[in-house]
């Protein structure tokens, strides 16, 4: 049975930054189990292609920049207009425009990282809460990173923003309970275009740090998100699930 043939669950998810990579992997996993999805992304053409792959009637795309408050409102409005509900929110949209020590970091870039990686997640959570979840319940998954669990070479601003995302998860989990569960996923290195600079041309070197012998793929995160956005995780909230191929086993963590 294909994803398009699978019986609908009646549940609807909004997944940000989902035209490719981890976001698309999550949207694909949710559609495969019968959910419908609203996906966002900056590139309208890429978004249209993603919607076609996910399947007509199962997905719609709303182009825009994650940190734009008007876009956040429109995305939730489109979900309500098209499907009448927003049970799940996945805050996946993120950016990392710079590599290097934070001692030399342009503060305008730091602000951009936080606006996209953290403030946008709060904005989307506020919008879905007001539109549906406050009265009907639901679940949120924030995509953090192992970079938020310790210091990170060359991606310090990104790591700091993901640490903030983990704390945002705790705050939302506390405030939105009992109706809405909020959890985070902290992936290690996943093979996506976003992370290509970290492994292209040196994948075997990168893999050597992982006890499971490979880097992650978007489907790994899709499966974890699908679990957290399910009744099977009905007693799980405020947690950060590390999905790292065993990386931390080699770090004494």
């Amino acid at each position: 049975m294909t994803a398009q043939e699978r019986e609908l669950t009646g549940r609807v998810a909004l997944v940000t930054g989902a035209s490719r990579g981890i976001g698309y992997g999550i949207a694909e996993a949710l559609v495969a189990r019968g959910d419908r999805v609203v996906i966002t992304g900056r590139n309208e053409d890429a978004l249209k292609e993603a919607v076609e792959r996910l399947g007509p009637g199962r997905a719609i795309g709303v182009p825009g920049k994650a940190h734009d408050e008007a876009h956040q409102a429109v995305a939730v409005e489109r979900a309500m207009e098209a499907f009448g509900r927003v049970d799940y929110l996945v805050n996946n949209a993120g950016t990392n425009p710079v590599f290097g020590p934070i001692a030399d970091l342009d503060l305008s870039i730091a602000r951009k990282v936080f606006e996209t990686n953290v403030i946008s997640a709060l904005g989307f959570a506020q919008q879905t809460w007001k539109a549906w979840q406050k009265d009907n319940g639901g679940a949120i998954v924030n995509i953090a990173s192992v970079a938020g669990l310790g210091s990170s070479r060359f991606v310090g601003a990104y790591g700091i923003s993901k640490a903030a995302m983990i704390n945002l998860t705790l705050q939302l989990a506390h405030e939105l309970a009992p109706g809405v569960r909020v959890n985070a996923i902290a992936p290690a290195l996943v093979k996506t275009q976003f992370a290509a600079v970290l492994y292209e041309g040196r994948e075997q070197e990168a893999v050597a740090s992982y006890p499971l012998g490979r880097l992650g793929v978007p489907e790994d995160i899709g499966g974890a998100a699908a679990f957290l956005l399910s009744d099977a995780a009905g007693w799980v909230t405020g947690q950060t699930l590390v999905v790292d191929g065993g990386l931390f086993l080699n770090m004494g963590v």
Side-chain angles (χ1 to χ4, degrees), residues 184-205:
I185 298 173
L189 185 52
V190 176
K191 294 180 67 174
T192 64
Q193 183 176 335
F194 178 81
V197 69
L198 299 175
Y199 67 86
E200 281 191 345
R202 55 180 296 273
E203 185 168 339
Q204 289 308 307
E205 179 185 349

Side-chain angles (χ1 to χ4, degrees), residues 143-231:
I143 303 303
S145 168
V146 294
L149 300 173
S151 60
S152 305
R153 292 185 63 193
F154 308 124
V155 292
Y158 178 78
I160 295 167
S161 74
K162 292 303 184 178
M165 180 72 101
I166 291 169
N167 194 265
L168 174 63
T169 298
L170 295 174
Q171 298 298 326
L172 289 173
H174 187 269
E175 292 188 20
L176 304 188
V180 178
R181 298 182 300 101
V182 187
N183 294 287
I185 298 173
L189 185 52
V190 176
K191 294 180 67 174
T192 64
Q193 183 176 335
F194 178 81
V197 69
L198 299 175
Y199 67 86
E200 281 191 345
R202 55 180 296 273
E203 185 168 339
Q204 289 308 307
E205 179 185 349
V207 166
S209 300
Y210 290 80
L212 291 186
R214 66 174 177 86
L215 300 181
V217 293
E219 290 81 1
D220 293 319
I221 314 307
F227 163 68
L228 291 172
L229 299 174
S230 75
D231 293 340

Side-chain angles (χ1 to χ4, degrees), residues 7-12 34-36 83 85 87:
E7 184 177 352
L8 289 171
T9 63
R11 305 288 178 87
V12 176
D35 294 351
R36 291 173 294 186
F83 302 128
R85 58 195 297 155
D87 302 278

